[in-house]
Amino acid sequence: MQEVFDLLKALADPETAVGMATYQRNQFPFLGIKTPVRRELTKPFIKAAKQSGVIDWDFVEAAWEQDAREYQYVALDMLKAQMDLLGPDDLVRFQALAMRKSWWDTALMLDLRTDFSLPCKLIAEEHFLYDSIFTRI
């Protein structure tokens, strides 16, 4: 876990971070690592996580506690890679994440009503268990 955090921190680009934060209306700080670079850097970690057969919720929580937004993006990338391990019991965790540090960039991945969300895939044959997070904020 710490290795991933350290890797991202070492590649921070303060100049790019300003533009990224501005694009998100300065809701969160950024390290300044663009998505293609971040995904390439974290590919070995994501691959190992997928092969582990276990979702590391401690990593997800630790990533959510970090200030820079890229950490939450890595957690979401990991969850997406492990989607086949997710079950209905994990919906409570998604709801908790969605209620913290919510903004459109992560909320869309966590919202049940969006076609590209992670939890939506969990309950495709079920009724929605709770309303959209957008009605709760």
Side-chain angles (χ1 to χ4, degrees):
M1 172 181 349
Q2 192 59 45
E3 289 176 37
V4 173
F5 293 164
D6 292 344
L7 175 66
L8 292 174
K9 192 180 294 184
L11 295 170
D13 178 348
E15 189 174 313
T16 302
V18 170
M20 294 170 82
T22 300
Y23 179 71
Q24 295 289 343
R25 296 187 181 205
N26 296 307
Q27 294 293 312
F28 306 99
F30 282 80
L31 295 171
I33 303 169
K34 294 183 179 182
T35 298
V37 173
R38 183 192 77 242
R39 287 193 174 142
E40 189 62 34
L41 290 172
T42 59
K43 193 181 288 187
F45 167 75
I46 301 295
K47 183 178 179 181
K50 186 172 173 84
Q51 291 173 343
S52 75
V54 177
I55 296 174
D56 186 350
W57 286 107
D58 289 337
F59 172 80
V60 174
E61 286 295 328
W64 232 259
E65 294 303 317
Q66 301 298 311
D67 289 332
R69 201 61 163 167
E70 287 90 341
Y71 298 112
Q72 287 100 56
Y73 295 158
V74 172
L76 288 170
D77 288 343
M78 183 190 78
L79 289 171
K80 187 173 181 181
Q82 296 183 299
M83 195 176 316
D84 58 328
L85 300 175
L86 296 169
D89 291 343
D90 294 315
L91 290 173
V92 173
R93 294 178 189 266
F94 278 91
Q95 184 180 22
L97 293 173
M99 300 308 285
R100 297 186 346 248
K101 296 189 178 183
S102 291
W103 197 242
W104 69 267
D105 58 338
T106 56
L108 290 177
M109 289 289 289
L110 296 168
D111 182 31
L112 291 177
R113 294 193 199 179
T114 59
D115 291 337
F116 46 89
S117 76
L118 295 168
C120 187
K121 309 293 190 262
L122 296 178
I123 57 173
E125 288 102 30
E126 304 283 333
H127 295 301
F128 289 123
L129 300 179
Y130 54 86
D131 293 331
S132 167
I133 61 164
F134 295 112
T135 63
R136 294 174 174 250
I137 295 175

